[in-house]
Amino acid sequence: MEYLWFWIVAFFFVGYFVLDGFDFGVGMSLPFLGKDDVSRRQVINTIGPVWDLNETWVIVAGACLFASFPEWYATLFSGFYLPLLLILLALILRGVSFEYRHQRDSLKWKRGFDRMIVIGSVVPALLWGVAFGNIVQGVALDENHIFVGGLLSLLNPYALLVGVTTLLLFFLHGVLFVALKTDAQVHEDARRLVRLAAVPTILAAAGTVVWTIVMAAEREAPLLWMVIGCGALAAVALIGAVAFSLRGRDGWAFAAAAVTVAGAVVMLFGALFPYVMRSTIDPAYSLTIENASSTPYTLQIMSWTALVAMPLVLLYQGWTYWVFRKRVRRSHIEAAPAHA
């Protein structure tokens, strides 16, 4: 049961990074695509109906982590307290900005909240990657599973590379979503921005995939085949996303970017297996799937709950996207009140 729940936790993080990942990208693209207030409203409205629903995936992922792997949760949130706090504050800042931006017609007021949307998107996009890079690489855990490394130890080359990769990947993912959901000048600007972001994103992603595979091979990871396969899938999908965008196939481009994000996250979980947090002091101090999990009875109850709840969540998510599937057109934004 504990191995099943390791992959259920992975599933929720995949869903979170695929869905909230393009939210982060849309927020980060605002300075490049929002040349006037109408354009900025058009960009923001692409995620207006769904951003809060997308964000709930991290709540569910955190709740599953807490219930199924309490030792992992305790070590992670105590050792990574500052980065995770910064992520939480950034998410709050971004959510508040979406809701308060339109409360006044003042351009200064709106510009201030636009900057907070950008900050609230950049910080999580970077720090989530840094956090997962450290989890996969391993951190200084003592015999009591307590993180004894300093903050600077988390800013190591591999973790920073993963952070830069998630930042660029989410940015590209979000720009592709804007291209899919808008028309007129914003649509054309988004497609041009894809071309500019493609090369650095591919280079950073390639570096992360190769480094992760080498690291997993050196450890003789039991799921090395999964790490290699998912890394290759993510690489091919990323190149495909750019190629589809160049050909004007916005829907396929966005879908390929989603596959890229999903493949990358599964690759990281495959490289982590069978650990949940690996100790760089002594492998014997590491947290594994087995020694960090809850009791079998707890996991059994959670499994029945998930069996009922997960299909309902997926159906509701799919229905929401179907309802709001149409493009956000500039003409509609111009005709709508300024607070819409």
PDB file of all heavy atoms in Angstrom, residues 139-146 275 277-288 291:
ATOM      1  N   VAL A 139      19.650  15.355   0.893  1.00  0.00           N
ATOM      2  CA  VAL A 139      20.019  16.448   1.792  1.00  0.00           C
ATOM      3  C   VAL A 139      20.635  15.863   3.059  1.00  0.00           C
ATOM      4  O   VAL A 139      20.624  14.654   3.278  1.00  0.00           O
ATOM      5  CB  VAL A 139      18.779  17.310   2.153  1.00  0.00           C
ATOM      6  CG1 VAL A 139      18.268  18.063   0.941  1.00  0.00           C
ATOM      7  CG2 VAL A 139      17.668  16.446   2.759  1.00  0.00           C
ATOM      8  N   ALA A 140      21.166  16.740   3.894  1.00  0.00           N
ATOM      9  CA  ALA A 140      21.848  16.303   5.120  1.00  0.00           C
ATOM     10  C   ALA A 140      20.819  15.957   6.198  1.00  0.00           C
ATOM     11  O   ALA A 140      20.328  16.837   6.919  1.00  0.00           O
ATOM     12  CB  ALA A 140      22.789  17.407   5.610  1.00  0.00           C
ATOM     13  N   LEU A 141      20.499  14.664   6.310  1.00  0.00           N
ATOM     14  CA  LEU A 141      19.598  14.177   7.355  1.00  0.00           C
ATOM     15  C   LEU A 141      20.423  13.400   8.376  1.00  0.00           C
ATOM     16  O   LEU A 141      21.268  12.575   8.011  1.00  0.00           O
ATOM     17  CB  LEU A 141      18.524  13.256   6.776  1.00  0.00           C
ATOM     18  CG  LEU A 141      17.550  13.834   5.747  1.00  0.00           C
ATOM     19  CD1 LEU A 141      16.538  12.767   5.344  1.00  0.00           C
ATOM     20  CD2 LEU A 141      16.849  15.066   6.278  1.00  0.00           C
ATOM     21  N   ASP A 142      20.148  13.663   9.658  1.00  0.00           N
ATOM     22  CA  ASP A 142      20.861  12.915  10.700  1.00  0.00           C
ATOM     23  C   ASP A 142      20.118  11.618  11.031  1.00  0.00           C
ATOM     24  O   ASP A 142      19.136  11.257  10.366  1.00  0.00           O
ATOM     25  CB  ASP A 142      21.093  13.785  11.942  1.00  0.00           C
ATOM     26  CG  ASP A 142      19.786  14.174  12.646  1.00  0.00           C
ATOM     27  OD1 ASP A 142      18.721  13.596  12.315  1.00  0.00           O
ATOM     28  OD2 ASP A 142      19.826  15.054  13.524  1.00  0.00           O
ATOM     29  N   GLU A 143      20.567  10.937  12.075  1.00  0.00           N
ATOM     30  CA  GLU A 143      19.972   9.639  12.419  1.00  0.00           C
ATOM     31  C   GLU A 143      18.519   9.746  12.864  1.00  0.00           C
ATOM     32  O   GLU A 143      17.785   8.754  12.872  1.00  0.00           O
ATOM     33  CB  GLU A 143      20.802   8.947  13.517  1.00  0.00           C
ATOM     34  CG  GLU A 143      20.820   9.676  14.859  1.00  0.00           C
ATOM     35  CD  GLU A 143      21.892  10.733  14.931  1.00  0.00           C
ATOM     36  OE1 GLU A 143      22.439  11.115  13.875  1.00  0.00           O
ATOM     37  OE2 GLU A 143      22.190  11.198  16.060  1.00  0.00           O
ATOM     38  N   ASN A 144      18.070  10.954  13.249  1.00  0.00           N
ATOM     39  CA  ASN A 144      16.672  11.178  13.641  1.00  0.00           C
ATOM     40  C   ASN A 144      15.826  11.714  12.497  1.00  0.00           C
ATOM     41  O   ASN A 144      14.716  12.200  12.708  1.00  0.00           O
ATOM     42  CB  ASN A 144      16.617  12.145  14.828  1.00  0.00           C
ATOM     43  CG  ASN A 144      17.296  11.590  16.061  1.00  0.00           C
ATOM     44  OD1 ASN A 144      17.062  10.440  16.425  1.00  0.00           O
ATOM     45  ND2 ASN A 144      18.135  12.383  16.703  1.00  0.00           N
ATOM     46  N   HIS A 145      16.364  11.656  11.291  1.00  0.00           N
ATOM     47  CA  HIS A 145      15.682  12.154  10.081  1.00  0.00           C
ATOM     48  C   HIS A 145      15.430  13.654  10.151  1.00  0.00           C
ATOM     49  O   HIS A 145      14.424  14.140   9.615  1.00  0.00           O
ATOM     50  CB  HIS A 145      14.364  11.405   9.842  1.00  0.00           C
ATOM     51  CG  HIS A 145      14.497   9.919   9.821  1.00  0.00           C
ATOM     52  ND1 HIS A 145      15.456   9.254   9.083  1.00  0.00           N
ATOM     53  CD2 HIS A 145      13.807   8.957  10.490  1.00  0.00           C
ATOM     54  CE1 HIS A 145      15.337   7.950   9.260  1.00  0.00           C
ATOM     55  NE2 HIS A 145      14.359   7.732  10.114  1.00  0.00           N
ATOM     56  N   ILE A 146      16.314  14.382  10.786  1.00  0.00           N
ATOM     57  CA  ILE A 146      16.202  15.837  10.901  1.00  0.00           C
ATOM     58  C   ILE A 146      17.212  16.476   9.955  1.00  0.00           C
ATOM     59  O   ILE A 146      18.377  16.077   9.912  1.00  0.00           O
ATOM     60  CB  ILE A 146      16.447  16.308  12.351  1.00  0.00           C
ATOM     61  CG1 ILE A 146      15.359  15.737  13.267  1.00  0.00           C
ATOM     62  CG2 ILE A 146      16.476  17.834  12.441  1.00  0.00           C
ATOM     63  CD1 ILE A 146      15.586  16.031  14.739  1.00  0.00           C
ATOM     64  N   TYR A 275      13.442   5.913  -2.153  1.00  0.00           N
ATOM     65  CA  TYR A 275      13.528   6.870  -1.056  1.00  0.00           C
ATOM     66  C   TYR A 275      12.409   7.895  -1.179  1.00  0.00           C
ATOM     67  O   TYR A 275      11.798   8.072  -2.240  1.00  0.00           O
ATOM     68  CB  TYR A 275      14.874   7.601  -1.084  1.00  0.00           C
ATOM     69  CG  TYR A 275      16.077   6.705  -0.940  1.00  0.00           C
ATOM     70  CD1 TYR A 275      16.824   6.318  -2.052  1.00  0.00           C
ATOM     71  CD2 TYR A 275      16.474   6.239   0.304  1.00  0.00           C
ATOM     72  CE1 TYR A 275      17.928   5.489  -1.922  1.00  0.00           C
ATOM     73  CE2 TYR A 275      17.584   5.411   0.447  1.00  0.00           C
ATOM     74  CZ  TYR A 275      18.305   5.045  -0.670  1.00  0.00           C
ATOM     75  OH  TYR A 275      19.397   4.228  -0.538  1.00  0.00           O
ATOM     76  N   MET A 277      13.212  10.828   1.024  1.00  0.00           N
ATOM     77  CA  MET A 277      14.255  11.825   1.230  1.00  0.00           C
ATOM     78  C   MET A 277      15.549  11.073   1.543  1.00  0.00           C
ATOM     79  O   MET A 277      15.613  10.316   2.510  1.00  0.00           O
ATOM     80  CB  MET A 277      13.917  12.812   2.349  1.00  0.00           C
ATOM     81  CG  MET A 277      12.814  13.786   1.997  1.00  0.00           C
ATOM     82  SD  MET A 277      12.661  15.187   3.140  1.00  0.00           S
ATOM     83  CE  MET A 277      14.011  16.220   2.567  1.00  0.00           C
ATOM     84  N   ARG A 278      16.543  11.288   0.710  1.00  0.00           N
ATOM     85  CA  ARG A 278      17.803  10.554   0.847  1.00  0.00           C
ATOM     86  C   ARG A 278      18.797  11.372   1.666  1.00  0.00           C
ATOM     87  O   ARG A 278      18.949  12.571   1.453  1.00  0.00           O
ATOM     88  CB  ARG A 278      18.374  10.270  -0.540  1.00  0.00           C
ATOM     89  CG  ARG A 278      19.628   9.429  -0.564  1.00  0.00           C
ATOM     90  CD  ARG A 278      20.014   9.106  -1.999  1.00  0.00           C
ATOM     91  NE  ARG A 278      21.264   8.354  -2.044  1.00  0.00           N
ATOM     92  CZ  ARG A 278      22.462   8.917  -2.054  1.00  0.00           C
ATOM     93  NH1 ARG A 278      22.566  10.244  -2.023  1.00  0.00           N
ATOM     94  NH2 ARG A 278      23.541   8.176  -2.099  1.00  0.00           N
ATOM     95  N   SER A 279      19.476  10.726   2.602  1.00  0.00           N
ATOM     96  CA  SER A 279      20.466  11.399   3.433  1.00  0.00           C
ATOM     97  C   SER A 279      21.825  11.369   2.749  1.00  0.00           C
ATOM     98  O   SER A 279      22.283  10.323   2.294  1.00  0.00           O
ATOM     99  CB  SER A 279      20.573  10.725   4.805  1.00  0.00           C
ATOM    100  OG  SER A 279      21.631  11.298   5.559  1.00  0.00           O
ATOM    101  N   THR A 280      22.466  12.544   2.690  1.00  0.00           N
ATOM    102  CA  THR A 280      23.819  12.611   2.134  1.00  0.00           C
ATOM    103  C   THR A 280      24.875  12.348   3.208  1.00  0.00           C
ATOM    104  O   THR A 280      26.058  12.239   2.888  1.00  0.00           O
ATOM    105  CB  THR A 280      24.057  13.999   1.507  1.00  0.00           C
ATOM    106  OG1 THR A 280      23.801  15.018   2.493  1.00  0.00           O
ATOM    107  CG2 THR A 280      23.134  14.223   0.316  1.00  0.00           C
ATOM    108  N   ILE A 281      24.462  12.275   4.469  1.00  0.00           N
ATOM    109  CA  ILE A 281      25.400  11.966   5.564  1.00  0.00           C
ATOM    110  C   ILE A 281      25.667  10.480   5.628  1.00  0.00           C
ATOM    111  O   ILE A 281      26.816  10.032   5.676  1.00  0.00           O
ATOM    112  CB  ILE A 281      24.846  12.477   6.913  1.00  0.00           C
ATOM    113  CG1 ILE A 281      24.678  14.009   6.886  1.00  0.00           C
ATOM    114  CG2 ILE A 281      25.753  12.058   8.059  1.00  0.00           C
ATOM    115  CD1 ILE A 281      24.048  14.573   8.141  1.00  0.00           C
ATOM    116  N   ASP A 282      24.590   9.708   5.611  1.00  0.00           N
ATOM    117  CA  ASP A 282      24.694   8.249   5.673  1.00  0.00           C
ATOM    118  C   ASP A 282      23.412   7.684   5.067  1.00  0.00           C
ATOM    119  O   ASP A 282      22.309   8.048   5.510  1.00  0.00           O
ATOM    120  CB  ASP A 282      24.859   7.780   7.121  1.00  0.00           C
ATOM    121  CG  ASP A 282      25.117   6.283   7.225  1.00  0.00           C
ATOM    122  OD1 ASP A 282      24.728   5.541   6.306  1.00  0.00           O
ATOM    123  OD2 ASP A 282      25.706   5.857   8.229  1.00  0.00           O
ATOM    124  N   PRO A 283      23.507   6.835   4.044  1.00  0.00           N
ATOM    125  CA  PRO A 283      22.290   6.272   3.441  1.00  0.00           C
ATOM    126  C   PRO A 283      21.367   5.600   4.455  1.00  0.00           C
ATOM    127  O   PRO A 283      20.148   5.534   4.241  1.00  0.00           O
ATOM    128  CB  PRO A 283      22.842   5.258   2.434  1.00  0.00           C
ATOM    129  CG  PRO A 283      24.201   5.762   2.092  1.00  0.00           C
ATOM    130  CD  PRO A 283      24.728   6.386   3.359  1.00  0.00           C
ATOM    131  N   ALA A 284      21.927   5.121   5.570  1.00  0.00           N
ATOM    132  CA  ALA A 284      21.107   4.469   6.601  1.00  0.00           C
ATOM    133  C   ALA A 284      20.168   5.455   7.283  1.00  0.00           C
ATOM    134  O   ALA A 284      19.175   5.051   7.897  1.00  0.00           O
ATOM    135  CB  ALA A 284      21.999   3.797   7.639  1.00  0.00           C
ATOM    136  N   TYR A 285      20.474   6.769   7.197  1.00  0.00           N
ATOM    137  CA  TYR A 285      19.635   7.786   7.822  1.00  0.00           C
ATOM    138  C   TYR A 285      18.511   8.245   6.890  1.00  0.00           C
ATOM    139  O   TYR A 285      17.709   9.111   7.264  1.00  0.00           O
ATOM    140  CB  TYR A 285      20.470   9.011   8.201  1.00  0.00           C
ATOM    141  CG  TYR A 285      21.593   8.743   9.182  1.00  0.00           C
ATOM    142  CD1 TYR A 285      22.661   9.639   9.309  1.00  0.00           C
ATOM    143  CD2 TYR A 285      21.608   7.613   9.995  1.00  0.00           C
ATOM    144  CE1 TYR A 285      23.695   9.406  10.203  1.00  0.00           C
ATOM    145  CE2 TYR A 285      22.637   7.366  10.891  1.00  0.00           C
ATOM    146  CZ  TYR A 285      23.678   8.274  10.998  1.00  0.00           C
ATOM    147  OH  TYR A 285      24.704   8.043  11.876  1.00  0.00           O
ATOM    148  N   SER A 286      18.456   7.691   5.706  1.00  0.00           N
ATOM    149  CA  SER A 286      17.481   8.139   4.715  1.00  0.00           C
ATOM    150  C   SER A 286      16.062   7.734   5.089  1.00  0.00           C
ATOM    151  O   SER A 286      15.836   6.738   5.788  1.00  0.00           O
ATOM    152  CB  SER A 286      17.822   7.563   3.337  1.00  0.00           C
ATOM    153  OG  SER A 286      19.104   7.954   2.916  1.00  0.00           O
ATOM    154  N   LEU A 287      15.115   8.517   4.596  1.00  0.00           N
ATOM    155  CA  LEU A 287      13.704   8.154   4.694  1.00  0.00           C
ATOM    156  C   LEU A 287      13.331   7.394   3.430  1.00  0.00           C
ATOM    157  O   LEU A 287      13.553   7.871   2.315  1.00  0.00           O
ATOM    158  CB  LEU A 287      12.831   9.399   4.824  1.00  0.00           C
ATOM    159  CG  LEU A 287      12.785  10.083   6.191  1.00  0.00           C
ATOM    160  CD1 LEU A 287      12.067  11.427   6.089  1.00  0.00           C
ATOM    161  CD2 LEU A 287      12.087   9.198   7.218  1.00  0.00           C
ATOM    162  N   THR A 288      12.775   6.215   3.609  1.00  0.00           N
ATOM    163  CA  THR A 288      12.340   5.411   2.476  1.00  0.00           C
ATOM    164  C   THR A 288      10.813   5.349   2.447  1.00  0.00           C
ATOM    165  O   THR A 288      10.132   5.786   3.380  1.00  0.00           O
ATOM    166  CB  THR A 288      12.905   3.983   2.572  1.00  0.00           C
ATOM    167  OG1 THR A 288      12.307   3.329   3.705  1.00  0.00           O
ATOM    168  CG2 THR A 288      14.412   4.005   2.730  1.00  0.00           C
ATOM    169  N   ASN A 291       9.819   3.157   5.611  1.00  0.00           N
ATOM    170  CA  ASN A 291       9.957   3.640   6.995  1.00  0.00           C
ATOM    171  C   ASN A 291       9.324   5.008   7.231  1.00  0.00           C
ATOM    172  O   ASN A 291       9.311   5.498   8.348  1.00  0.00           O
ATOM    173  CB  ASN A 291      11.433   3.650   7.433  1.00  0.00           C
ATOM    174  CG  ASN A 291      12.273   4.690   6.702  1.00  0.00           C
ATOM    175  OD1 ASN A 291      11.775   5.656   6.140  1.00  0.00           O
ATOM    176  ND2 ASN A 291      13.580   4.474   6.714  1.00  0.00           N
TER     177      ASN A 291
END
